[in-house]
Protein backbone atom coordinates (compact mmCIF):
# COMPACT_ATOMS: atom_id res chain seq x y z
CA UNK A 1 0.00 0.00 0.00
CA UNK A 2 1.40 3.36 -1.04
CA UNK A 3 1.72 6.15 1.47
CA UNK A 4 -0.12 9.44 0.85
CA UNK A 5 2.32 12.36 0.65
CA UNK A 6 0.36 14.64 2.99
CA UNK A 7 -0.31 11.95 5.58
CA UNK A 8 2.22 11.77 8.46
CA UNK A 9 4.25 8.63 8.67
CA UNK A 10 3.17 6.00 11.20
CA UNK A 11 4.64 6.49 14.65
CA UNK A 12 7.24 3.73 14.28
CA UNK A 13 8.58 5.28 11.07
CA UNK A 14 8.85 8.89 12.26
CA UNK A 15 12.13 10.44 13.28
CA UNK A 16 12.09 12.33 16.58
CA UNK A 17 11.41 16.06 16.19
CA UNK A 18 14.50 18.12 15.35
CA UNK A 19 14.25 20.12 18.58
CA UNK A 20 14.03 16.93 20.63
CA UNK A 21 17.00 15.31 18.94
CA UNK A 22 19.10 18.42 19.40
CA UNK A 23 18.25 18.48 23.10
CA UNK A 24 19.09 14.78 23.42
CA UNK A 25 22.39 15.34 21.60
CA UNK A 26 23.14 18.22 23.97
CA UNK A 27 22.46 16.05 27.04
CA UNK A 28 24.56 13.15 25.72
CA UNK A 29 27.42 15.51 24.88
CA UNK A 30 27.18 17.20 28.27
CA UNK A 31 27.31 13.83 30.04
CA UNK A 32 30.43 12.78 28.15
CA UNK A 33 31.91 16.26 28.74
CA UNK A 34 31.90 15.76 32.51
CA UNK A 35 32.72 12.04 32.41
CA UNK A 36 35.93 12.55 30.44
CA UNK A 37 36.80 15.66 32.46
CA UNK A 38 36.54 13.65 35.68
CA UNK A 39 39.09 11.13 34.39
CA UNK A 40 41.71 13.74 33.47
CA UNK A 41 43.25 14.69 36.85
CA UNK A 42 43.97 11.09 37.94
CA UNK A 43 45.17 9.96 34.50
CA UNK A 44 47.47 12.91 33.83
CA UNK A 45 48.79 13.94 37.24
CA UNK A 46 47.22 12.55 40.39
CA UNK A 47 48.02 8.84 39.96
CA UNK A 48 51.67 9.43 39.04
CA UNK A 49 52.09 11.92 41.87
CA UNK A 50 50.39 9.72 44.49
CA UNK A 51 52.34 6.66 43.32
CA UNK A 52 55.58 8.64 43.69
CA UNK A 53 54.57 9.75 47.20
CA UNK A 54 53.43 6.30 48.35
CA UNK A 55 55.99 4.02 46.70
CA UNK A 56 58.99 6.29 46.02
CA UNK A 57 60.31 8.06 42.92
CA UNK A 58 62.27 5.04 41.66
CA UNK A 59 59.18 2.81 41.61
CA UNK A 60 56.77 5.50 40.38
CA UNK A 61 56.99 4.62 36.69
CA UNK A 62 56.27 0.93 37.28
CA UNK A 63 53.39 1.59 39.68
CA UNK A 64 51.91 4.22 37.38
CA UNK A 65 52.00 1.83 34.41
CA UNK A 66 50.46 -0.97 36.49
CA UNK A 67 47.67 1.23 37.87
CA UNK A 68 46.84 2.66 34.44
CA UNK A 69 46.81 -0.89 33.03
CA UNK A 70 44.41 -2.06 35.76
CA UNK A 71 42.17 0.90 35.04
CA UNK A 72 42.24 0.19 31.31
CA UNK A 73 41.31 -3.45 31.88
CA UNK A 74 38.42 -2.36 34.06
CA UNK A 75 37.39 0.17 31.39
CA UNK A 76 37.14 -2.67 28.86
CA UNK A 77 34.94 -4.71 31.19
CA UNK A 78 32.89 -1.66 32.14
CA UNK A 79 32.22 -0.73 28.50
CA UNK A 80 31.11 -4.27 27.61
CA UNK A 81 28.94 -4.70 30.73
CA UNK A 82 27.33 -1.27 30.37
CA UNK A 83 26.76 -1.85 26.65
CA UNK A 84 25.16 -5.21 27.37
CA UNK A 85 23.00 -3.70 30.12
CA UNK A 86 21.95 -0.81 27.85
CA UNK A 87 20.53 -3.34 25.36
CA UNK A 88 18.54 -5.32 27.94
CA UNK A 89 14.77 -5.20 28.11
CA UNK A 90 12.94 -2.38 26.36
CA UNK A 91 16.12 -0.63 25.09
CA UNK A 92 14.46 2.73 25.64
CA UNK A 93 16.18 6.06 26.03
CA UNK A 94 15.13 6.11 29.68
CA UNK A 95 16.61 2.69 30.44
CA UNK A 96 19.93 3.73 28.90
CA UNK A 97 19.99 6.89 31.01
CA UNK A 98 19.63 4.65 34.10
CA UNK A 99 22.65 2.58 33.05
CA UNK A 100 24.67 5.77 32.51
CA UNK A 101 23.67 7.07 35.95
CA UNK A 102 24.64 3.80 37.68
CA UNK A 103 28.10 3.74 36.10
CA UNK A 104 28.72 7.36 37.04
CA UNK A 105 27.66 6.80 40.65
CA UNK A 106 30.14 3.91 40.93
CA UNK A 107 32.85 6.16 39.53
CA UNK A 108 32.16 8.91 42.08
CA UNK A 109 32.50 6.50 45.01
CA UNK A 110 35.70 4.98 43.61
CA UNK A 111 37.33 8.38 43.05
CA UNK A 112 36.53 9.33 46.64
CA UNK A 113 38.24 6.13 47.82
CA UNK A 114 41.30 6.90 45.68
CA UNK A 115 41.64 10.32 47.26
CA UNK A 116 42.04 8.61 50.66
CA UNK A 117 44.29 5.75 49.52
CA UNK A 118 47.33 4.89 51.62
CA UNK A 119 49.03 2.30 49.40
CA UNK A 120 49.64 1.59 45.76
CA UNK A 121 47.23 -1.34 45.88
CA UNK A 122 44.39 0.82 47.18
CA UNK A 123 45.13 3.36 44.48
CA UNK A 124 45.01 0.61 41.84
CA UNK A 125 41.75 -0.89 43.14
CA UNK A 126 40.07 2.51 43.27
CA UNK A 127 41.17 3.39 39.74
CA UNK A 128 39.90 0.05 38.48
CA UNK A 129 36.42 0.69 39.89
CA UNK A 130 36.42 4.31 38.73
CA UNK A 131 37.41 3.38 35.19
CA UNK A 132 34.89 0.55 35.07
CA UNK A 133 32.01 2.80 36.08
CA UNK A 134 32.90 5.96 34.19
CA UNK A 135 34.06 4.20 31.01
CA UNK A 136 30.85 2.18 30.96
CA UNK A 137 28.91 5.42 31.26
CA UNK A 138 30.93 6.93 28.39
CA UNK A 139 30.06 3.94 26.19
CA UNK A 140 26.36 4.47 26.92
CA UNK A 141 26.64 8.20 26.21
CA UNK A 142 27.87 7.25 22.73
CA UNK A 143 24.93 4.87 22.30
CA UNK A 144 22.49 7.66 23.17
CA UNK A 145 23.36 9.37 19.88
CA UNK A 146 21.70 6.53 17.96
CA UNK A 147 18.39 7.86 19.34
CA UNK A 148 19.06 11.11 17.48
CA UNK A 149 17.43 11.40 14.04
CA UNK A 150 19.66 10.32 11.17
CA UNK A 151 19.95 13.78 9.65
CA UNK A 152 21.40 15.17 12.90
CA UNK A 153 23.49 12.16 13.92
CA UNK A 154 26.77 12.92 12.13
CA UNK A 155 26.82 16.50 13.40
CA UNK A 156 26.11 15.27 16.93
CA UNK A 157 29.00 12.80 16.63
CA UNK A 158 31.46 15.50 15.56
CA UNK A 159 30.15 17.83 18.26
CA UNK A 160 30.69 15.06 20.83
CA UNK A 161 34.38 14.87 19.93
CA UNK A 162 34.79 18.64 20.10
CA UNK A 163 32.76 19.11 23.28
CA UNK A 164 34.50 16.22 25.03
CA UNK A 165 37.84 17.78 24.21
CA UNK A 166 36.74 21.14 25.53
CA UNK A 167 35.70 19.30 28.67
CA UNK A 168 39.26 18.09 29.07
CA UNK A 169 40.43 21.71 29.15
CA UNK A 170 38.38 22.44 32.27
CA UNK A 171 40.33 20.20 34.70
CA UNK A 172 43.60 21.08 32.99
CA UNK A 173 42.96 24.79 33.55
CA UNK A 174 42.07 24.09 37.18
CA UNK A 175 45.23 22.05 37.66
CA UNK A 176 47.31 24.88 36.22
CA UNK A 177 45.75 27.33 38.69
CA UNK A 178 45.58 24.93 41.64
CA UNK A 179 48.18 22.17 41.11
CA UNK A 180 47.44 20.55 44.46
CA UNK A 181 43.67 20.19 43.94
CA UNK A 182 43.59 17.18 41.62
CA UNK A 183 41.41 14.93 43.77
CA UNK A 184 38.87 17.60 44.66
CA UNK A 185 38.63 18.60 41.00
CA UNK A 186 37.99 15.07 39.76
CA UNK A 187 35.31 14.32 42.37
CA UNK A 188 33.43 17.57 41.67
CA UNK A 189 33.45 16.89 37.93
CA UNK A 190 32.21 13.33 38.48
CA UNK A 191 29.33 14.66 40.59
CA UNK A 192 28.42 17.02 37.72
CA UNK A 193 28.46 14.02 35.39
CA UNK A 194 26.03 12.19 37.68
CA UNK A 195 23.72 15.22 37.71
CA UNK A 196 23.20 15.08 33.92
CA UNK A 197 21.43 11.66 33.76
CA UNK A 198 19.63 12.44 37.01
CA UNK A 199 18.09 15.54 35.42
CA UNK A 200 17.42 13.67 32.17
CA UNK A 201 15.57 10.92 34.05
CA UNK A 202 13.30 13.40 35.80
CA UNK A 203 12.37 14.91 32.42
CA UNK A 204 11.95 11.63 30.46
CA UNK A 205 8.71 9.82 31.17
CA UNK A 206 8.41 6.04 30.62
CA UNK A 207 5.87 6.58 27.83
CA UNK A 208 8.22 8.93 26.02
CA UNK A 209 10.95 6.30 26.32
CA UNK A 210 8.65 3.67 24.78
CA UNK A 211 7.86 5.92 21.82
CA UNK A 212 11.55 6.59 21.40
CA UNK A 213 12.24 2.87 21.22
CA UNK A 214 9.62 2.43 18.51
CA UNK A 215 11.19 5.13 16.42
CA UNK A 216 14.77 4.16 17.04
CA UNK A 217 14.39 0.43 16.44
CA UNK A 218 13.57 0.97 12.76
CA UNK A 219 16.68 1.55 10.63
CA UNK A 220 16.87 4.96 8.98
CA UNK A 221 15.93 5.15 5.35
CA UNK A 222 18.88 5.13 2.98
CA UNK A 223 18.28 8.74 1.95
CA UNK A 224 18.48 9.85 5.60
CA UNK A 225 21.64 7.98 6.53
CA UNK A 226 24.63 10.07 7.47
CA UNK A 227 27.35 10.33 4.87
CA UNK A 228 30.13 9.27 7.23
CA UNK A 229 33.53 8.01 6.09
CA UNK A 230 33.31 4.75 4.14
CA UNK A 231 35.28 2.44 6.43
CA UNK A 232 34.69 -1.14 7.43
CA UNK A 233 33.95 -2.01 11.05
CA UNK A 234 37.22 -3.94 11.31
CA UNK A 235 39.18 -0.95 9.99
CA UNK A 236 37.54 1.34 12.53
CA UNK A 237 38.45 -1.03 15.38
CA UNK A 238 42.06 -1.59 14.23
CA UNK A 239 42.77 2.11 13.76
CA UNK A 240 41.05 2.98 17.02
CA UNK A 241 43.13 0.39 18.84
CA UNK A 242 46.44 1.65 17.42
CA UNK A 243 45.67 5.30 18.14
CA UNK A 244 44.85 4.49 21.76
CA UNK A 245 48.11 2.59 22.21
CA UNK A 246 49.99 5.76 21.29
CA UNK A 247 47.71 8.12 23.19
CA UNK A 248 47.61 6.12 26.42
CA UNK A 249 51.39 5.70 26.55
CA UNK A 250 51.81 9.41 25.84
CA UNK A 251 49.48 10.46 28.66
CA UNK A 252 50.75 7.87 31.15
CA UNK A 253 54.38 8.97 31.00
CA UNK A 254 53.77 12.64 30.21
CA UNK A 255 53.99 13.93 33.85
CA UNK A 256 57.04 11.80 34.68
CA UNK A 257 58.74 12.90 31.47
CA UNK A 258 58.08 16.58 32.26
CA UNK A 259 59.67 16.18 35.71
CA UNK A 260 62.74 14.42 34.28
CA UNK A 261 63.08 16.50 31.09
CA UNK A 262 62.68 19.97 32.64
CA UNK A 263 64.10 19.17 36.09
CA UNK A 264 61.15 20.66 38.00
CA UNK A 265 59.47 19.85 41.30
CA UNK A 266 56.00 18.32 41.16
CA UNK A 267 53.96 21.53 41.54
CA UNK A 268 55.86 23.37 38.80
CA UNK A 269 55.95 20.25 36.64
CA UNK A 270 52.17 19.92 37.02
CA UNK A 271 51.71 23.48 35.75
CA UNK A 272 54.13 22.96 32.84
CA UNK A 273 52.65 19.58 31.95
CA UNK A 274 49.07 20.82 32.02
CA UNK A 275 50.07 23.77 29.83
CA UNK A 276 51.40 21.35 27.20
CA UNK A 277 48.21 19.28 27.42
CA UNK A 278 46.06 22.42 27.16
CA UNK A 279 47.81 23.41 23.93
CA UNK A 280 47.36 19.85 22.61
CA UNK A 281 43.65 19.96 23.43
CA UNK A 282 43.29 23.29 21.66
CA UNK A 283 44.71 21.60 18.58
CA UNK A 284 42.30 18.69 19.01
CA UNK A 285 39.28 20.97 19.44
CA UNK A 286 40.39 23.11 16.50
CA UNK A 287 40.63 20.07 14.23
CA UNK A 288 37.19 18.80 15.26
CA UNK A 289 35.68 22.27 14.87
CA UNK A 290 37.03 22.65 11.34
CA UNK A 291 35.55 19.27 10.42
CA UNK A 292 32.23 20.35 11.95
CA UNK A 293 32.18 23.53 9.87
CA UNK A 294 33.37 21.69 6.74
CA UNK A 295 31.66 18.27 6.96
CA UNK A 296 32.74 17.37 3.43
CA UNK A 297 36.20 16.80 4.88
CA UNK A 298 34.82 13.64 6.51
CA UNK A 299 34.56 12.04 3.07
CA UNK A 300 38.34 12.31 2.52
CA UNK A 301 39.10 9.57 5.01
CA UNK A 302 42.39 8.22 3.70
CA UNK A 303 44.04 11.57 2.86
CA UNK A 304 43.07 12.92 6.27
CA UNK A 305 44.46 9.84 8.03
CA UNK A 306 47.72 10.34 6.15
CA UNK A 307 47.86 13.99 7.26
CA UNK A 308 47.10 12.98 10.84
CA UNK A 309 49.88 10.41 10.72
CA UNK A 310 52.44 12.94 9.45
CA UNK A 311 51.48 15.47 12.13
CA UNK A 312 51.68 12.89 14.92
CA UNK A 313 55.06 11.57 13.76
CA UNK A 314 56.40 15.13 13.68
CA UNK A 315 55.01 15.95 17.10
CA UNK A 316 56.39 12.82 18.75
CA UNK A 317 59.86 13.25 17.27
CA UNK A 318 59.94 16.90 18.36
CA UNK A 319 58.83 15.84 21.86
CA UNK A 320 61.68 13.34 22.07
CA UNK A 321 64.35 15.77 20.89
CA UNK A 322 63.63 18.89 22.97
CA UNK A 323 64.24 19.93 26.57
CA UNK A 324 62.41 23.27 26.80
CA UNK A 325 58.79 24.22 27.31
CA UNK A 326 57.97 26.06 24.05
CA UNK A 327 58.99 23.21 21.72
CA UNK A 328 57.16 20.79 24.02
CA UNK A 329 54.00 22.89 23.62
CA UNK A 330 54.45 22.95 19.82
CA UNK A 331 54.86 19.17 19.82
CA UNK A 332 51.67 18.91 21.87
CA UNK A 333 49.81 21.11 19.38
CA UNK A 334 50.80 18.94 16.41
CA UNK A 335 49.90 15.76 18.28
CA UNK A 336 46.55 17.22 19.36
CA UNK A 337 45.58 18.14 15.81
CA UNK A 338 46.49 14.63 14.66
CA UNK A 339 44.43 12.96 17.39
CA UNK A 340 41.51 15.32 16.71
CA UNK A 341 41.42 14.34 13.04
CA UNK A 342 41.73 10.60 13.62
CA UNK A 343 39.30 10.46 16.56
CA UNK A 344 36.61 12.40 14.70
CA UNK A 345 36.90 10.19 11.63
CA UNK A 346 36.75 6.97 13.62
CA UNK A 347 33.82 7.90 15.85
CA UNK A 348 31.64 9.21 13.03
CA UNK A 349 32.37 6.02 11.11
CA UNK A 350 31.54 3.82 14.13
CA UNK A 351 28.26 5.65 14.71
CA UNK A 352 27.30 5.40 11.03
CA UNK A 353 27.84 1.63 11.17
CA UNK A 354 25.57 1.24 14.23
CA UNK A 355 21.79 0.89 14.58
CA UNK A 356 20.06 1.89 17.82
CA UNK A 357 18.67 -1.62 18.37
CA UNK A 358 22.16 -2.91 19.21
CA UNK A 359 23.77 0.43 19.96
CA UNK A 360 24.76 -0.41 23.52
CA UNK A 361 26.65 -3.59 22.70
CA UNK A 362 28.20 -2.42 19.41
CA UNK A 363 29.50 0.88 20.79
CA UNK A 364 30.45 -0.96 23.95
CA UNK A 365 32.68 -3.16 21.80
CA UNK A 366 34.10 -0.01 20.16
CA UNK A 367 34.85 1.42 23.61
CA UNK A 368 36.31 -1.90 24.76
CA UNK A 369 38.71 -2.12 21.80
CA UNK A 370 39.84 1.42 22.56
CA UNK A 371 40.28 0.30 26.16
CA UNK A 372 42.44 -2.65 25.08
CA UNK A 373 44.74 -0.17 23.36
CA UNK A 374 44.86 1.85 26.56
CA UNK A 375 45.60 -1.33 28.53
CA UNK A 376 48.41 -2.57 26.31
CA UNK A 377 49.95 0.76 25.38
CA UNK A 378 51.79 1.93 28.53
CA UNK A 379 53.18 -1.43 29.66
CA UNK A 380 54.05 -2.60 26.14
CA UNK A 381 55.89 0.56 25.17
CA UNK A 382 57.73 0.83 28.49
CA UNK A 383 58.73 -2.84 28.28
CA UNK A 384 60.20 -2.35 24.81
CA UNK A 385 62.07 0.76 25.95
CA UNK A 386 63.56 -1.05 28.94
CA UNK A 387 64.56 -3.94 26.67
CA UNK A 388 66.36 -1.48 24.37
CA UNK A 389 67.86 0.95 26.88
CA UNK A 390 67.83 -1.00 30.15
CA UNK A 391 66.10 1.94 31.95
CA UNK A 392 62.86 3.94 31.48
CA UNK A 393 64.21 6.44 28.93
CA UNK A 394 61.42 8.79 27.91
CA UNK A 395 63.05 10.17 24.75
CA UNK A 396 63.32 6.64 23.39
CA UNK A 397 59.72 6.04 24.43
CA UNK A 398 58.34 8.93 22.37
CA UNK A 399 60.48 7.98 19.38
CA UNK A 400 59.07 4.47 19.61
CA UNK A 401 55.52 5.82 19.66
CA UNK A 402 56.20 7.55 16.33
CA UNK A 403 56.25 4.12 14.66
CA UNK A 404 52.47 3.80 15.15
CA UNK A 405 51.38 6.75 12.96
CA UNK A 406 53.86 5.56 10.33
CA UNK A 407 51.56 2.55 10.11
CA UNK A 408 48.55 4.83 9.49
CA UNK A 409 50.40 6.56 6.66
CA UNK A 410 51.43 3.27 5.07
CA UNK A 411 47.93 1.79 5.24
CA UNK A 412 46.33 4.95 3.86
CA UNK A 413 48.77 5.16 0.93
CA UNK A 414 48.32 1.49 0.04
CA UNK A 415 44.53 1.79 0.10
CA UNK A 416 44.58 4.98 -1.96
CA UNK A 417 46.78 3.32 -4.58
CA UNK A 418 44.43 0.33 -4.72
CA UNK A 419 41.45 2.64 -5.13
CA UNK A 420 43.14 4.48 -8.00
CA UNK A 421 43.99 1.19 -9.66
CA UNK A 422 40.36 0.04 -9.42
CA UNK A 423 39.14 3.35 -10.80
CA UNK A 424 41.62 3.09 -13.69
CA UNK A 425 40.41 -0.44 -14.52
CA UNK A 426 36.78 0.68 -14.46
CA UNK A 427 37.52 3.53 -16.86
CA UNK A 428 39.19 1.19 -19.37
Amino acid sequence: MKHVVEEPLPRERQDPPAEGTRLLGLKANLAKFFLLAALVPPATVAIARRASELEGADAAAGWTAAIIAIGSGSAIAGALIAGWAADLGARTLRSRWWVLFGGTALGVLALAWMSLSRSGWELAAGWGLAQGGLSGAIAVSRALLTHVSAVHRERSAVVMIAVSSVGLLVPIAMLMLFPGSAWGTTICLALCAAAVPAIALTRTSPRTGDRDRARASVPAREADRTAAPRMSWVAVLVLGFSSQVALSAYLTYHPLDIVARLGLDWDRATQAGTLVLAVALLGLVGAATVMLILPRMLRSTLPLLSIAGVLLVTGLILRAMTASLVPLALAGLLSGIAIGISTTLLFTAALALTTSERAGWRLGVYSAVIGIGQLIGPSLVLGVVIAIRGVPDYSTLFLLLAVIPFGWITIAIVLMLRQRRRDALRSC
Side-chain angles (χ1 to χ4, degrees):
M1 184 176 67
K2 293 185 178 180
H3 177 69
V4 180
V5 175
E6 291 79 6
E7 182 184 351
L9 289 170
R11 176 174 294 176
E12 68 271 16
R13 290 295 307 274
Q14 295 178 23
D15 273 335
E19 293 78 8
T21 62
R22 287 178 184 145
L23 184 59
L24 172 57
L26 174 62
K27 291 176 182 177
N29 286 330
L30 193 61
K32 193 180 177 189
F33 176 101
F34 286 116
L35 288 165
L36 281 178
L39 291 170
V40 170
T44 59
V45 174
I47 288 176
R49 180 170 183 171
R50 183 59 62 85
S52 180
E53 294 169 349
L54 293 175
E55 305 296 339
D58 293 339
W63 271 101
T64 300
I67 292 169
I68 295 297
I70 290 171
S72 298
S74 298
I76 296 167
L80 292 174
I81 292 171
W84 169 77
D87 284 345
L88 286 177
R91 298 169 183 159
T92 63
L93 180 61
R94 183 177 177 83
S95 68
R96 284 171 173 166
W97 275 121
W98 272 114
V99 176
L100 194 153
F101 178 77
T104 307
L106 174 60
V108 172
L109 295 174
L111 289 170
W113 181 25
M114 290 179 70
S115 68
L116 302 174
S117 61
R118 292 295 179 266
S119 70
W121 291 112
E122 286 187 34
L123 195 63
W127 185 236
L129 291 173
Q131 274 277 35
L134 297 180
S135 296
I138 288 172
V140 178
S141 74
R142 293 183 176 123
L144 292 177
L145 292 187
T146 61
H147 292 266
V148 174
S149 61
V151 293
H152 297 290
R153 198 167 298 156
E154 183 180 86
R155 180 174 291 271
S156 296
V158 180
V159 169
M160 178 170 276
I161 299 297
V163 168
S164 300
S165 304
V166 173
L168 300 182
L169 288 171
V170 173
I172 285 178
M174 295 182 70
L175 289 173
M176 290 176 64
L177 295 173
F178 310 103
S181 65
W183 293 113
T185 297
T186 192
I187 292 172
C188 288
L189 290 169
L191 287 171
C192 291
V196 175
I199 294 171
L201 285 167
T202 62
R203 295 178 178 272
T204 305
S205 67
R207 289 185 178 181
T208 301
D210 292 339
R211 290 198 299 269
D212 176 82
R213 178 181 179 269
R215 295 186 188 111
S217 62
V218 178
R221 289 167 294 177
E222 189 65 29
D224 294 334
R225 290 187 185 274
T226 56
R230 292 183 177 276
M231 301 173 67
S232 70
W233 183 246
V234 173
V236 169
L237 295 182
V238 170
L239 290 172
F241 169 81
S242 66
S243 66
Q244 288 303 310
V245 168
L247 182 60
S248 62
Y250 186 107
L251 292 176
T252 298
Y253 301 112
H254 170 73
L256 297 172
D257 176 55
I258 291 293
V259 171
R261 193 176 296 274
L262 300 182
L264 302 174
D265 59 56
W266 268 106
D267 282 346
R268 293 175 62 196
T270 297
Q271 292 176 320
T274 50
L275 174 62
V276 173
L277 290 179
V279 172
L281 284 172
L282 287 175
L284 196 159
V285 172
T289 302
V290 169
M291 297 172 81
L292 178 64
I293 297 172
L294 303 172
R296 291 184 179 180
M297 294 179 65
L298 294 171
R299 319 301 184 261
S300 304
T301 306
L302 297 177
L304 281 176
L305 280 176
S306 300
I307 293 172
V310 171
L311 291 174
L312 189 54
V313 168
T314 304
L316 290 170
I317 292 176
L318 180 59
R319 171 70 183 249
M321 303 300 292
T322 189
S324 59
L325 186 57
V326 173
L328 285 174
L330 177 59
L333 177 63
L334 295 174
S335 300
I337 294 172
I339 295 298
I341 294 172
S342 62
T343 302
T344 302
L345 287 175
L346 294 174
F347 182 51
T348 53
L351 194 62
L353 293 166
T354 303
T355 61
S356 63
E357 189 72 12
R358 295 290 294 164
W361 176 252
R362 197 170 181 88
L363 290 174
V365 169
Y366 174 76
S367 299
V369 169
I370 289 175
I372 293 172
Q374 295 172 350
L375 172 65
I376 293 176
S379 55
L380 175 64
V381 175
L382 181 64
V384 174
V385 169
I386 292 176
I388 295 172
R389 301 283 296 175
V391 293
D393 181 79
Y394 298 114
S395 292
T396 303
L397 186 146
F398 286 104
L399 287 174
L400 184 63
L401 290 179
V403 175
I404 293 173
F406 267 121
W408 301 358
I409 299 169
T410 302
I411 292 172
I413 290 175
V414 169
L415 292 178
M416 282 189 289
L417 290 175
R418 287 182 179 178
Q419 184 63 47
R420 289 183 180 180
R421 186 179 303 170
R422 283 196 295 265
D423 293 341
L425 290 173
R426 288 173 184 173
S427 63
C428 292

